[in-house]
């Protein structure tokens, strides 16, 4: 008959009994929690790109309200009176948008398209001029845009 080992408890048994594993579990939990918070916080800083970055209803410091729709159309309320003053279509390639007025107000020089680079970070949408002859569009588009909240 084999004799029982009298050398004492194994290292695993001593570790388990000592409670050290509980401390390790807490350390691992803290590391995982910190990592998750860092990853989620980092996601908020990522720029949104493509058409989905533009879609929404936006306003700028001039009070203009710009509804950019997922179907490639937009409406502009220049006077913030609840009616569209201009409307059109847009196309996106990478971080560049081409805007075409199809109706509404038509100031001098606004017959052709406007081309802008755009960048959306969190709740701010900003544009940089590539080419546009329309001064009124430039004046509005080049303002920082934030989500519009209906009163």
């Amino acid at each position: 008959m084999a004799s029982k080992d009298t050398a004492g408890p194994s290292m695993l048994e001593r570790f388990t009994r000592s409670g050290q594993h509980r401390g390790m579990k807490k350390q691992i939990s803290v590391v995982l929690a910190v990592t998750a918070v860092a990853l989620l916080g980092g996601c908020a800083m990522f720029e949104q790109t493509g058409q989905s970055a533009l879609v929404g209803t936006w306003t700028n410091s001039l009070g203009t309200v710009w509804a950019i729709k997922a179907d490639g159309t937009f409406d502009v309320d220049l006077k913030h009176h609840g009616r569209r003053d201009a409307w059109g279509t847009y196309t996106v390639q990478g971080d560049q948008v081409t805007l075409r007025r199809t109706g509404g107000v038509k100031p001098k020089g606004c017959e052709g398209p406007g081309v802008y680079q755009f960048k959306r970070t969190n709740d701010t949408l900003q544009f940089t001029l590539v080419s546009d002859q329309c001064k009124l569009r430039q004046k509005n588009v080049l303002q920082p845009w934030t989500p519009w909240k209906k009163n």
Side-chain angles (χ1 to χ4, degrees):
M1 186 171 223
S3 67
K4 191 173 181 179
D5 188 345
T6 58
S10 70
M11 173 116 44
L12 179 59
E13 291 170 326
R14 283 193 305 254
F15 179 75
T16 304
R17 282 190 211 144
S18 71
Q20 289 177 349
H21 71 288
R22 283 186 284 263
M24 289 279 286
K25 283 183 179 180
K26 283 182 183 178
Q27 287 177 344
I28 290 170
S29 295
V30 169
V31 169
L32 290 174
V34 168
T35 302
V37 168
L39 288 173
L40 290 173
C43 290
M45 295 305 292
F46 286 124
E47 295 174 7
Q48 292 183 346
T49 58
Q51 181 178 354
S52 64
L54 298 175
V55 173
T57 303
W58 303 90
T59 190
N60 64 21
S61 62
L62 302 174
T64 301
V65 177
W66 189 9
I68 304 173
K69 303 172 189 170
D71 66 0
T73 64
F74 64 85
D75 294 322
V76 179
D77 179 356
L78 289 168
K79 299 173 185 171
H80 193 69
H81 53 51
R83 292 187 306 267
R84 67 183 188 165
D85 297 304
W87 52 94
T89 62
Y90 71 94
T91 55
V92 174
Q93 284 191 310
D95 67 346
Q96 194 165 295
V97 62
T98 301
L99 305 168
R100 289 180 180 80
R101 186 197 67 77
T102 59
V105 296
K106 184 180 172 185
K108 184 178 176 185
C110 295
E111 296 81 22
V115 181
Y116 297 83
Q117 279 192 303
F118 67 91
K119 177 175 150 180
R120 179 175 175 185
T121 306
N122 297 328
D123 283 344
T124 303
L125 183 59
Q126 293 196 279
F127 295 87
T128 306
L129 177 65
V130 174
S131 65
D132 194 349
Q133 298 300 311
C134 182
K135 299 298 180 196
L136 178 60
R137 187 166 45 214
Q138 283 185 41
K139 177 183 170 181
N140 273 282
V141 172
L142 294 173
Q143 299 292 316
W145 294 86
T146 55
W148 179 70
K149 293 170 182 64
K150 191 173 186 175
N151 294 336

